[in-house]
Amino acid sequence: MSVDVSWRIVLCALLVLLFAEDSSAREITRIRWKEVDDDTKGQQHNPEIPDLQQLSKDNHLPIKHNIDDDHQKHAHAHLSSHMDHMDPSDKIFFTIKDLKVGNAIPIYFSHGDPSTSPHLISREEANSIPFSLAKLPYLLEFFSLSIESPQAKAMEYTLTQCEVEPMEGETKLCATSLESMLDFAQATFGMDTQVKALTTNHLRKSAAPLQNYTLLEEPKEILAPKMIGCHTMPYPYVVYYCHSQEGGNRLFEISLGGEHGDRVQATGVCHMDTSKWDPENPSFRVLKIKPGTAPVCHIFPADNIVWVPLIS
């Protein structure tokens, strides 16, 4: 699904969205995460706790908890698998040759509960809260979270990813408000450029996260000189990890039909040059290929946003 908009219209729409949120978003978020933290004591699993491994695969991001020069290059690798068997949630990768009408592709979609999602907050409120790994102890106290809690580990994960230096040819920003995400898009595309926002839309959704999806129509390629992928990150309020890589990507709008009756209008990307990727990237294991030998494609989760400039 796509929306064509100018910067002014985008800003107005986002301001409306922001003011539509509860004015006490920070306090609600603090209470919600504290309740989840309390509920998890003595329990083995709670569906509201972020799954960092699955999040990394869904969002095409690495897991790294310590930043240091000796291991800096590994921060740009995707999550390395230490399992010999195939995890069903690994089924998010496919090849560009799979994009044919009538072809069936096994795809795993995470099913989150929107009612437990963090709140959007304004730039003013976001700027009043430190956003730094060095400030993590303060932040845990601020949000009333214990240092050993799953939520604390999720916050550490997000702050670490946000502080890793970008790869060569990459620009990135962790947007703590929708205004800051727009600022990043403007800096990338130009102030006067109109944009298209692409998302994945589940028209009908069953309870089965992993299904065989059939391509119902010829995929529509989105021709754009640049793209920005913005991925939601686990945090007490909404944070988007936005990044743009020079060249080497092809975007598609894809109509999918699931074997259990699901219908998805998906946004997918094919990374044409994987030569600089870490060899332990799970996509290579899933697709049985090596870095730089073939494109790697995946679908963006429904809560991600892809920005591209409109070509007149």
PDB file of all heavy atoms in Angstrom, residues 18-54:
ATOM      1  N   LEU A  18      -0.266  12.784  16.030  1.00  0.00           N
ATOM      2  CA  LEU A  18       0.384  12.961  17.317  1.00  0.00           C
ATOM      3  C   LEU A  18      -0.587  13.479  18.366  1.00  0.00           C
ATOM      4  O   LEU A  18      -0.651  12.985  19.483  1.00  0.00           O
ATOM      5  CB  LEU A  18       1.563  13.930  17.183  1.00  0.00           C
ATOM      6  CG  LEU A  18       2.849  13.357  16.576  1.00  0.00           C
ATOM      7  CD1 LEU A  18       3.811  14.476  16.275  1.00  0.00           C
ATOM      8  CD2 LEU A  18       3.470  12.336  17.496  1.00  0.00           C
ATOM      9  N   PHE A  19      -1.363  14.499  18.012  1.00  0.00           N
ATOM     10  CA  PHE A  19      -2.282  15.073  18.978  1.00  0.00           C
ATOM     11  C   PHE A  19      -3.454  14.155  19.263  1.00  0.00           C
ATOM     12  O   PHE A  19      -4.139  14.308  20.268  1.00  0.00           O
ATOM     13  CB  PHE A  19      -2.788  16.432  18.498  1.00  0.00           C
ATOM     14  CG  PHE A  19      -1.760  17.513  18.649  1.00  0.00           C
ATOM     15  CD1 PHE A  19      -1.198  18.124  17.544  1.00  0.00           C
ATOM     16  CD2 PHE A  19      -1.330  17.901  19.900  1.00  0.00           C
ATOM     17  CE1 PHE A  19      -0.248  19.123  17.678  1.00  0.00           C
ATOM     18  CE2 PHE A  19      -0.373  18.897  20.057  1.00  0.00           C
ATOM     19  CZ  PHE A  19       0.169  19.505  18.938  1.00  0.00           C
ATOM     20  N   ALA A  20      -3.682  13.179  18.383  1.00  0.00           N
ATOM     21  CA  ALA A  20      -4.742  12.211  18.635  1.00  0.00           C
ATOM     22  C   ALA A  20      -4.331  11.221  19.715  1.00  0.00           C
ATOM     23  O   ALA A  20      -5.162  10.571  20.322  1.00  0.00           O
ATOM     24  CB  ALA A  20      -5.089  11.450  17.357  1.00  0.00           C
ATOM     25  N   GLU A  21      -3.038  11.105  19.974  1.00  0.00           N
ATOM     26  CA  GLU A  21      -2.563  10.222  21.024  1.00  0.00           C
ATOM     27  C   GLU A  21      -2.870  10.846  22.389  1.00  0.00           C
ATOM     28  O   GLU A  21      -3.093  12.044  22.535  1.00  0.00           O
ATOM     29  CB  GLU A  21      -1.043  10.023  20.900  1.00  0.00           C
ATOM     30  CG  GLU A  21      -0.629   9.271  19.655  1.00  0.00           C
ATOM     31  CD  GLU A  21      -1.029   7.810  19.715  1.00  0.00           C
ATOM     32  OE1 GLU A  21      -1.208   7.296  20.846  1.00  0.00           O
ATOM     33  OE2 GLU A  21      -1.182   7.206  18.653  1.00  0.00           O
ATOM     34  N   ASP A  22      -2.905   9.991  23.410  1.00  0.00           N
ATOM     35  CA  ASP A  22      -3.128  10.465  24.760  1.00  0.00           C
ATOM     36  C   ASP A  22      -2.035  11.444  25.148  1.00  0.00           C
ATOM     37  O   ASP A  22      -0.865  11.203  24.924  1.00  0.00           O
ATOM     38  CB  ASP A  22      -3.123   9.270  25.720  1.00  0.00           C
ATOM     39  CG  ASP A  22      -3.698   9.618  27.064  1.00  0.00           C
ATOM     40  OD1 ASP A  22      -3.159  10.539  27.712  1.00  0.00           O
ATOM     41  OD2 ASP A  22      -4.675   8.971  27.460  1.00  0.00           O
ATOM     42  N   SER A  23      -2.410  12.567  25.743  1.00  0.00           N
ATOM     43  CA  SER A  23      -1.438  13.590  26.096  1.00  0.00           C
ATOM     44  C   SER A  23      -0.472  13.114  27.168  1.00  0.00           C
ATOM     45  O   SER A  23       0.595  13.680  27.347  1.00  0.00           O
ATOM     46  CB  SER A  23      -2.162  14.857  26.589  1.00  0.00           C
ATOM     47  OG  SER A  23      -2.950  14.559  27.721  1.00  0.00           O
ATOM     48  N   SER A  24      -0.862  12.063  27.908  1.00  0.00           N
ATOM     49  CA  SER A  24       0.023  11.535  28.942  1.00  0.00           C
ATOM     50  C   SER A  24       0.687  10.255  28.468  1.00  0.00           C
ATOM     51  O   SER A  24       0.793   9.282  29.194  1.00  0.00           O
ATOM     52  CB  SER A  24      -0.768  11.267  30.232  1.00  0.00           C
ATOM     53  OG  SER A  24      -1.846  10.394  29.968  1.00  0.00           O
ATOM     54  N   ALA A  25       1.137  10.273  27.210  1.00  0.00           N
ATOM     55  CA  ALA A  25       1.715   9.067  26.613  1.00  0.00           C
ATOM     56  C   ALA A  25       2.890   8.554  27.419  1.00  0.00           C
ATOM     57  O   ALA A  25       3.058   7.349  27.589  1.00  0.00           O
ATOM     58  CB  ALA A  25       2.147   9.356  25.175  1.00  0.00           C
ATOM     59  N   ARG A  26       3.727   9.462  27.936  1.00  0.00           N
ATOM     60  CA  ARG A  26       4.909   9.030  28.668  1.00  0.00           C
ATOM     61  C   ARG A  26       4.506   8.256  29.915  1.00  0.00           C
ATOM     62  O   ARG A  26       5.042   7.192  30.193  1.00  0.00           O
ATOM     63  CB  ARG A  26       5.767  10.234  29.044  1.00  0.00           C
ATOM     64  CG  ARG A  26       6.946   9.853  29.909  1.00  0.00           C
ATOM     65  CD  ARG A  26       7.984  10.921  30.088  1.00  0.00           C
ATOM     66  NE  ARG A  26       7.502  12.266  30.045  1.00  0.00           N
ATOM     67  CZ  ARG A  26       8.277  13.318  30.273  1.00  0.00           C
ATOM     68  NH1 ARG A  26       9.549  13.147  30.516  1.00  0.00           N
ATOM     69  NH2 ARG A  26       7.802  14.530  30.230  1.00  0.00           N
ATOM     70  N   GLU A  27       3.533   8.778  30.670  1.00  0.00           N
ATOM     71  CA  GLU A  27       3.124   8.113  31.901  1.00  0.00           C
ATOM     72  C   GLU A  27       2.433   6.790  31.600  1.00  0.00           C
ATOM     73  O   GLU A  27       2.652   5.790  32.282  1.00  0.00           O
ATOM     74  CB  GLU A  27       2.175   9.016  32.700  1.00  0.00           C
ATOM     75  CG  GLU A  27       1.865   8.491  34.091  1.00  0.00           C
ATOM     76  CD  GLU A  27       3.114   8.402  34.951  1.00  0.00           C
ATOM     77  OE1 GLU A  27       4.056   9.179  34.740  1.00  0.00           O
ATOM     78  OE2 GLU A  27       3.134   7.524  35.834  1.00  0.00           O
ATOM     79  N   ILE A  28       1.609   6.749  30.552  1.00  0.00           N
ATOM     80  CA  ILE A  28       0.941   5.511  30.178  1.00  0.00           C
ATOM     81  C   ILE A  28       1.971   4.463  29.791  1.00  0.00           C
ATOM     82  O   ILE A  28       1.879   3.303  30.175  1.00  0.00           O
ATOM     83  CB  ILE A  28      -0.044   5.750  29.018  1.00  0.00           C
ATOM     84  CG1 ILE A  28      -1.239   6.576  29.528  1.00  0.00           C
ATOM     85  CG2 ILE A  28      -0.538   4.444  28.427  1.00  0.00           C
ATOM     86  CD1 ILE A  28      -2.203   6.967  28.438  1.00  0.00           C
ATOM     87  N   THR A  29       2.971   4.873  29.006  1.00  0.00           N
ATOM     88  CA  THR A  29       4.017   3.946  28.590  1.00  0.00           C
ATOM     89  C   THR A  29       4.786   3.439  29.788  1.00  0.00           C
ATOM     90  O   THR A  29       5.083   2.255  29.907  1.00  0.00           O
ATOM     91  CB  THR A  29       4.977   4.638  27.609  1.00  0.00           C
ATOM     92  OG1 THR A  29       4.247   5.061  26.469  1.00  0.00           O
ATOM     93  CG2 THR A  29       6.088   3.695  27.178  1.00  0.00           C
ATOM     94  N   ARG A  30       5.103   4.337  30.714  1.00  0.00           N
ATOM     95  CA  ARG A  30       5.847   3.952  31.916  1.00  0.00           C
ATOM     96  C   ARG A  30       5.055   2.898  32.691  1.00  0.00           C
ATOM     97  O   ARG A  30       5.586   1.871  33.096  1.00  0.00           O
ATOM     98  CB  ARG A  30       6.077   5.190  32.789  1.00  0.00           C
ATOM     99  CG  ARG A  30       7.011   4.935  33.968  1.00  0.00           C
ATOM    100  CD  ARG A  30       6.771   5.940  35.066  1.00  0.00           C
ATOM    101  NE  ARG A  30       6.843   7.305  34.616  1.00  0.00           N
ATOM    102  CZ  ARG A  30       7.831   8.144  34.943  1.00  0.00           C
ATOM    103  NH1 ARG A  30       8.839   7.725  35.652  1.00  0.00           N
ATOM    104  NH2 ARG A  30       7.791   9.395  34.540  1.00  0.00           N
ATOM    105  N   ILE A  31       3.744   3.133  32.859  1.00  0.00           N
ATOM    106  CA  ILE A  31       2.905   2.196  33.599  1.00  0.00           C
ATOM    107  C   ILE A  31       2.776   0.876  32.856  1.00  0.00           C
ATOM    108  O   ILE A  31       2.889  -0.198  33.444  1.00  0.00           O
ATOM    109  CB  ILE A  31       1.508   2.816  33.837  1.00  0.00           C
ATOM    110  CG1 ILE A  31       1.628   4.019  34.778  1.00  0.00           C
ATOM    111  CG2 ILE A  31       0.553   1.787  34.419  1.00  0.00           C
ATOM    112  CD1 ILE A  31       0.355   4.813  34.914  1.00  0.00           C
ATOM    113  N   ARG A  32       2.562   0.944  31.549  1.00  0.00           N
ATOM    114  CA  ARG A  32       2.358  -0.273  30.760  1.00  0.00           C
ATOM    115  C   ARG A  32       3.590  -1.167  30.829  1.00  0.00           C
ATOM    116  O   ARG A  32       3.496  -2.354  31.085  1.00  0.00           O
ATOM    117  CB  ARG A  32       2.040   0.078  29.307  1.00  0.00           C
ATOM    118  CG  ARG A  32       1.971  -1.143  28.397  1.00  0.00           C
ATOM    119  CD  ARG A  32       1.599  -0.744  26.991  1.00  0.00           C
ATOM    120  NE  ARG A  32       0.249  -0.239  26.929  1.00  0.00           N
ATOM    121  CZ  ARG A  32      -0.231   0.466  25.910  1.00  0.00           C
ATOM    122  NH1 ARG A  32       0.549   0.775  24.897  1.00  0.00           N
ATOM    123  NH2 ARG A  32      -1.486   0.870  25.912  1.00  0.00           N
ATOM    124  N   TRP A  33       4.796  -0.606  30.600  1.00  0.00           N
ATOM    125  CA  TRP A  33       6.009  -1.428  30.637  1.00  0.00           C
ATOM    126  C   TRP A  33       6.274  -1.947  32.038  1.00  0.00           C
ATOM    127  O   TRP A  33       6.767  -3.040  32.216  1.00  0.00           O
ATOM    128  CB  TRP A  33       7.193  -0.626  30.095  1.00  0.00           C
ATOM    129  CG  TRP A  33       7.329  -0.762  28.624  1.00  0.00           C
ATOM    130  CD1 TRP A  33       6.347  -0.583  27.709  1.00  0.00           C
ATOM    131  CD2 TRP A  33       8.492  -1.127  27.895  1.00  0.00           C
ATOM    132  NE1 TRP A  33       6.844  -0.805  26.444  1.00  0.00           N
ATOM    133  CE2 TRP A  33       8.146  -1.127  26.526  1.00  0.00           C
ATOM    134  CE3 TRP A  33       9.798  -1.432  28.257  1.00  0.00           C
ATOM    135  CZ2 TRP A  33       9.052  -1.442  25.529  1.00  0.00           C
ATOM    136  CZ3 TRP A  33      10.712  -1.736  27.268  1.00  0.00           C
ATOM    137  CH2 TRP A  33      10.344  -1.749  25.917  1.00  0.00           C
ATOM    138  N   LYS A  34       5.947  -1.146  33.063  1.00  0.00           N
ATOM    139  CA  LYS A  34       6.139  -1.600  34.446  1.00  0.00           C
ATOM    140  C   LYS A  34       5.205  -2.774  34.733  1.00  0.00           C
ATOM    141  O   LYS A  34       5.607  -3.759  35.352  1.00  0.00           O
ATOM    142  CB  LYS A  34       5.850  -0.451  35.428  1.00  0.00           C
ATOM    143  CG  LYS A  34       6.062  -0.835  36.891  1.00  0.00           C
ATOM    144  CD  LYS A  34       7.525  -1.160  37.149  1.00  0.00           C
ATOM    145  CE  LYS A  34       7.817  -1.226  38.643  1.00  0.00           C
ATOM    146  NZ  LYS A  34       7.089  -2.318  39.297  1.00  0.00           N
ATOM    147  N   GLU A  35       3.945  -2.711  34.254  1.00  0.00           N
ATOM    148  CA  GLU A  35       3.004  -3.796  34.475  1.00  0.00           C
ATOM    149  C   GLU A  35       3.473  -5.067  33.797  1.00  0.00           C
ATOM    150  O   GLU A  35       3.397  -6.163  34.359  1.00  0.00           O
ATOM    151  CB  GLU A  35       1.618  -3.405  33.966  1.00  0.00           C
ATOM    152  CG  GLU A  35       0.926  -2.369  34.833  1.00  0.00           C
ATOM    153  CD  GLU A  35      -0.374  -1.897  34.228  1.00  0.00           C
ATOM    154  OE1 GLU A  35      -0.583  -2.147  33.016  1.00  0.00           O
ATOM    155  OE2 GLU A  35      -1.185  -1.292  34.949  1.00  0.00           O
ATOM    156  N   VAL A  36       3.992  -4.931  32.589  1.00  0.00           N
ATOM    157  CA  VAL A  36       4.491  -6.105  31.876  1.00  0.00           C
ATOM    158  C   VAL A  36       5.679  -6.693  32.620  1.00  0.00           C
ATOM    159  O   VAL A  36       5.827  -7.898  32.753  1.00  0.00           O
ATOM    160  CB  VAL A  36       4.895  -5.739  30.430  1.00  0.00           C
ATOM    161  CG1 VAL A  36       5.575  -6.911  29.748  1.00  0.00           C
ATOM    162  CG2 VAL A  36       3.658  -5.315  29.636  1.00  0.00           C
ATOM    163  N   ASP A  37       6.563  -5.818  33.143  1.00  0.00           N
ATOM    164  CA  ASP A  37       7.727  -6.277  33.889  1.00  0.00           C
ATOM    165  C   ASP A  37       7.280  -7.053  35.127  1.00  0.00           C
ATOM    166  O   ASP A  37       7.796  -8.125  35.430  1.00  0.00           O
ATOM    167  CB  ASP A  37       8.568  -5.063  34.294  1.00  0.00           C
ATOM    168  CG  ASP A  37       9.897  -5.464  34.919  1.00  0.00           C
ATOM    169  OD1 ASP A  37      10.404  -6.536  34.555  1.00  0.00           O
ATOM    170  OD2 ASP A  37      10.400  -4.692  35.752  1.00  0.00           O
ATOM    171  N   ASP A  38       6.279  -6.523  35.853  1.00  0.00           N
ATOM    172  CA  ASP A  38       5.786  -7.203  37.047  1.00  0.00           C
ATOM    173  C   ASP A  38       5.131  -8.528  36.694  1.00  0.00           C
ATOM    174  O   ASP A  38       5.286  -9.525  37.400  1.00  0.00           O
ATOM    175  CB  ASP A  38       4.777  -6.311  37.780  1.00  0.00           C
ATOM    176  CG  ASP A  38       5.439  -5.090  38.403  1.00  0.00           C
ATOM    177  OD1 ASP A  38       6.673  -5.112  38.587  1.00  0.00           O
ATOM    178  OD2 ASP A  38       4.728  -4.108  38.670  1.00  0.00           O
ATOM    179  N   ASP A  39       4.379  -8.550  35.582  1.00  0.00           N
ATOM    180  CA  ASP A  39       3.667  -9.760  35.188  1.00  0.00           C
ATOM    181  C   ASP A  39       4.605 -10.889  34.806  1.00  0.00           C
ATOM    182  O   ASP A  39       4.239 -12.064  34.878  1.00  0.00           O
ATOM    183  CB  ASP A  39       2.733  -9.476  33.998  1.00  0.00           C
ATOM    184  CG  ASP A  39       1.540  -8.627  34.408  1.00  0.00           C
ATOM    185  OD1 ASP A  39       1.303  -8.512  35.624  1.00  0.00           O
ATOM    186  OD2 ASP A  39       0.873  -8.078  33.512  1.00  0.00           O
ATOM    187  N   THR A  40       5.815 -10.553  34.351  1.00  0.00           N
ATOM    188  CA  THR A  40       6.742 -11.590  33.859  1.00  0.00           C
ATOM    189  C   THR A  40       7.504 -12.267  34.991  1.00  0.00           C
ATOM    190  O   THR A  40       8.155 -13.278  34.759  1.00  0.00           O
ATOM    191  CB  THR A  40       7.756 -10.992  32.887  1.00  0.00           C
ATOM    192  OG1 THR A  40       8.505  -9.979  33.553  1.00  0.00           O
ATOM    193  CG2 THR A  40       7.074 -10.414  31.665  1.00  0.00           C
ATOM    194  N   LYS A  41       7.445 -11.743  36.186  1.00  0.00           N
ATOM    195  CA  LYS A  41       8.180 -12.352  37.290  1.00  0.00           C
ATOM    196  C   LYS A  41       7.568 -13.710  37.616  1.00  0.00           C
ATOM    197  O   LYS A  41       6.389 -13.817  37.913  1.00  0.00           O
ATOM    198  CB  LYS A  41       8.144 -11.446  38.521  1.00  0.00           C
ATOM    199  CG  LYS A  41       8.913 -10.145  38.310  1.00  0.00           C
ATOM    200  CD  LYS A  41       8.805  -9.224  39.508  1.00  0.00           C
ATOM    201  CE  LYS A  41       9.569  -7.923  39.263  1.00  0.00           C
ATOM    202  NZ  LYS A  41       9.427  -6.973  40.376  1.00  0.00           N
ATOM    203  N   GLY A  42       8.388 -14.728  37.537  1.00  0.00           N
ATOM    204  CA  GLY A  42       7.913 -16.069  37.809  1.00  0.00           C
ATOM    205  C   GLY A  42       7.261 -16.739  36.624  1.00  0.00           C
ATOM    206  O   GLY A  42       6.820 -17.876  36.722  1.00  0.00           O
ATOM    207  N   GLN A  43       7.179 -16.063  35.465  1.00  0.00           N
ATOM    208  CA  GLN A  43       6.589 -16.652  34.282  1.00  0.00           C
ATOM    209  C   GLN A  43       7.675 -16.938  33.257  1.00  0.00           C
ATOM    210  O   GLN A  43       8.697 -16.260  33.201  1.00  0.00           O
ATOM    211  CB  GLN A  43       5.539 -15.725  33.677  1.00  0.00           C
ATOM    212  CG  GLN A  43       4.371 -15.462  34.609  1.00  0.00           C
ATOM    213  CD  GLN A  43       3.321 -14.596  33.930  1.00  0.00           C
ATOM    214  OE1 GLN A  43       3.359 -14.390  32.735  1.00  0.00           O
ATOM    215  NE2 GLN A  43       2.389 -14.103  34.714  1.00  0.00           N
ATOM    216  N   GLN A  44       7.435 -17.944  32.416  1.00  0.00           N
ATOM    217  CA  GLN A  44       8.420 -18.307  31.420  1.00  0.00           C
ATOM    218  C   GLN A  44       8.263 -17.516  30.143  1.00  0.00           C
ATOM    219  O   GLN A  44       9.203 -17.355  29.397  1.00  0.00           O
ATOM    220  CB  GLN A  44       8.313 -19.812  31.109  1.00  0.00           C
ATOM    221  CG  GLN A  44       8.726 -20.686  32.289  1.00  0.00           C
ATOM    222  CD  GLN A  44       8.669 -22.154  31.923  1.00  0.00           C
ATOM    223  OE1 GLN A  44       8.036 -22.545  30.958  1.00  0.00           O
ATOM    224  NE2 GLN A  44       9.328 -22.982  32.709  1.00  0.00           N
ATOM    225  N   HIS A  45       7.074 -17.035  29.870  1.00  0.00           N
ATOM    226  CA  HIS A  45       6.858 -16.340  28.598  1.00  0.00           C
ATOM    227  C   HIS A  45       5.710 -15.363  28.739  1.00  0.00           C
ATOM    228  O   HIS A  45       4.723 -15.629  29.410  1.00  0.00           O
ATOM    229  CB  HIS A  45       6.540 -17.344  27.490  1.00  0.00           C
ATOM    230  CG  HIS A  45       6.199 -16.693  26.194  1.00  0.00           C
ATOM    231  ND1 HIS A  45       7.148 -16.046  25.429  1.00  0.00           N
ATOM    232  CD2 HIS A  45       5.016 -16.570  25.538  1.00  0.00           C
ATOM    233  CE1 HIS A  45       6.567 -15.557  24.347  1.00  0.00           C
ATOM    234  NE2 HIS A  45       5.284 -15.858  24.395  1.00  0.00           N
ATOM    235  N   ASN A  46       5.869 -14.241  28.131  1.00  0.00           N
ATOM    236  CA  ASN A  46       4.788 -13.265  28.035  1.00  0.00           C
ATOM    237  C   ASN A  46       4.800 -12.718  26.621  1.00  0.00           C
ATOM    238  O   ASN A  46       5.839 -12.245  26.156  1.00  0.00           O
ATOM    239  CB  ASN A  46       5.004 -12.136  29.050  1.00  0.00           C
ATOM    240  CG  ASN A  46       3.804 -11.196  29.112  1.00  0.00           C
ATOM    241  OD1 ASN A  46       3.411 -10.623  28.093  1.00  0.00           O
ATOM    242  ND2 ASN A  46       3.246 -11.036  30.305  1.00  0.00           N
ATOM    243  N   PRO A  47       3.660 -12.754  25.904  1.00  0.00           N
ATOM    244  CA  PRO A  47       3.671 -12.339  24.503  1.00  0.00           C
ATOM    245  C   PRO A  47       4.005 -10.882  24.292  1.00  0.00           C
ATOM    246  O   PRO A  47       4.311 -10.475  23.185  1.00  0.00           O
ATOM    247  CB  PRO A  47       2.229 -12.653  24.047  1.00  0.00           C
ATOM    248  CG  PRO A  47       1.420 -12.690  25.304  1.00  0.00           C
ATOM    249  CD  PRO A  47       2.341 -13.202  26.355  1.00  0.00           C
ATOM    250  N   GLU A  48       3.969 -10.055  25.356  1.00  0.00           N
ATOM    251  CA  GLU A  48       4.267  -8.638  25.178  1.00  0.00           C
ATOM    252  C   GLU A  48       5.760  -8.349  25.257  1.00  0.00           C
ATOM    253  O   GLU A  48       6.195  -7.245  24.961  1.00  0.00           O
ATOM    254  CB  GLU A  48       3.518  -7.821  26.232  1.00  0.00           C
ATOM    255  CG  GLU A  48       2.005  -7.888  26.088  1.00  0.00           C
ATOM    256  CD  GLU A  48       1.304  -7.043  27.130  1.00  0.00           C
ATOM    257  OE1 GLU A  48       1.997  -6.356  27.899  1.00  0.00           O
ATOM    258  OE2 GLU A  48       0.068  -7.054  27.167  1.00  0.00           O
ATOM    259  N   ILE A  49       6.578  -9.337  25.664  1.00  0.00           N
ATOM    260  CA  ILE A  49       8.016  -9.128  25.755  1.00  0.00           C
ATOM    261  C   ILE A  49       8.618  -9.192  24.367  1.00  0.00           C
ATOM    262  O   ILE A  49       8.372 -10.132  23.616  1.00  0.00           O
ATOM    263  CB  ILE A  49       8.660 -10.205  26.649  1.00  0.00           C
ATOM    264  CG1 ILE A  49       8.094 -10.121  28.069  1.00  0.00           C
ATOM    265  CG2 ILE A  49      10.169 -10.035  26.685  1.00  0.00           C
ATOM    266  CD1 ILE A  49       8.555 -11.226  28.966  1.00  0.00           C
ATOM    267  N   PRO A  50       9.422  -8.200  23.981  1.00  0.00           N
ATOM    268  CA  PRO A  50      10.019  -8.232  22.643  1.00  0.00           C
ATOM    269  C   PRO A  50      10.927  -9.440  22.449  1.00  0.00           C
ATOM    270  O   PRO A  50      11.741  -9.761  23.304  1.00  0.00           O
ATOM    271  CB  PRO A  50      10.828  -6.923  22.594  1.00  0.00           C
ATOM    272  CG  PRO A  50      10.257  -6.059  23.666  1.00  0.00           C
ATOM    273  CD  PRO A  50       9.783  -7.001  24.730  1.00  0.00           C
ATOM    274  N   ASP A  51      10.761 -10.134  21.325  1.00  0.00           N
ATOM    275  CA  ASP A  51      11.642 -11.232  20.934  1.00  0.00           C
ATOM    276  C   ASP A  51      12.746 -10.625  20.072  1.00  0.00           C
ATOM    277  O   ASP A  51      12.540 -10.333  18.903  1.00  0.00           O
ATOM    278  CB  ASP A  51      10.838 -12.273  20.154  1.00  0.00           C
ATOM    279  CG  ASP A  51      11.679 -13.492  19.773  1.00  0.00           C
ATOM    280  OD1 ASP A  51      12.922 -13.366  19.737  1.00  0.00           O
ATOM    281  OD2 ASP A  51      11.088 -14.552  19.496  1.00  0.00           O
ATOM    282  N   LEU A  52      13.934 -10.440  20.648  1.00  0.00           N
ATOM    283  CA  LEU A  52      14.997  -9.711  19.957  1.00  0.00           C
ATOM    284  C   LEU A  52      15.513 -10.461  18.744  1.00  0.00           C
ATOM    285  O   LEU A  52      15.861  -9.846  17.734  1.00  0.00           O
ATOM    286  CB  LEU A  52      16.144  -9.416  20.929  1.00  0.00           C
ATOM    287  CG  LEU A  52      15.783  -8.539  22.126  1.00  0.00           C
ATOM    288  CD1 LEU A  52      17.041  -8.186  22.903  1.00  0.00           C
ATOM    289  CD2 LEU A  52      15.064  -7.287  21.685  1.00  0.00           C
ATOM    290  N   GLN A  53      15.566 -11.779  18.831  1.00  0.00           N
ATOM    291  CA  GLN A  53      16.037 -12.531  17.674  1.00  0.00           C
ATOM    292  C   GLN A  53      15.067 -12.406  16.515  1.00  0.00           C
ATOM    293  O   GLN A  53      15.461 -12.168  15.377  1.00  0.00           O
ATOM    294  CB  GLN A  53      16.238 -14.005  18.046  1.00  0.00           C
ATOM    295  CG  GLN A  53      17.399 -14.227  18.998  1.00  0.00           C
ATOM    296  CD  GLN A  53      17.768 -15.687  19.129  1.00  0.00           C
ATOM    297  OE1 GLN A  53      17.073 -16.565  18.624  1.00  0.00           O
ATOM    298  NE2 GLN A  53      18.864 -15.957  19.798  1.00  0.00           N
ATOM    299  N   GLN A  54      13.759 -12.568  16.803  1.00  0.00           N
ATOM    300  CA  GLN A  54      12.785 -12.447  15.722  1.00  0.00           C
ATOM    301  C   GLN A  54      12.720 -11.013  15.200  1.00  0.00           C
ATOM    302  O   GLN A  54      12.593 -10.780  14.005  1.00  0.00           O
ATOM    303  CB  GLN A  54      11.390 -12.882  16.194  1.00  0.00           C
ATOM    304  CG  GLN A  54      10.343 -12.897  15.083  1.00  0.00           C
ATOM    305  CD  GLN A  54      10.787 -13.781  13.932  1.00  0.00           C
ATOM    306  OE1 GLN A  54      11.270 -14.887  14.137  1.00  0.00           O
ATOM    307  NE2 GLN A  54      10.630 -13.293  12.706  1.00  0.00           N
TER     308      GLN A  54
END
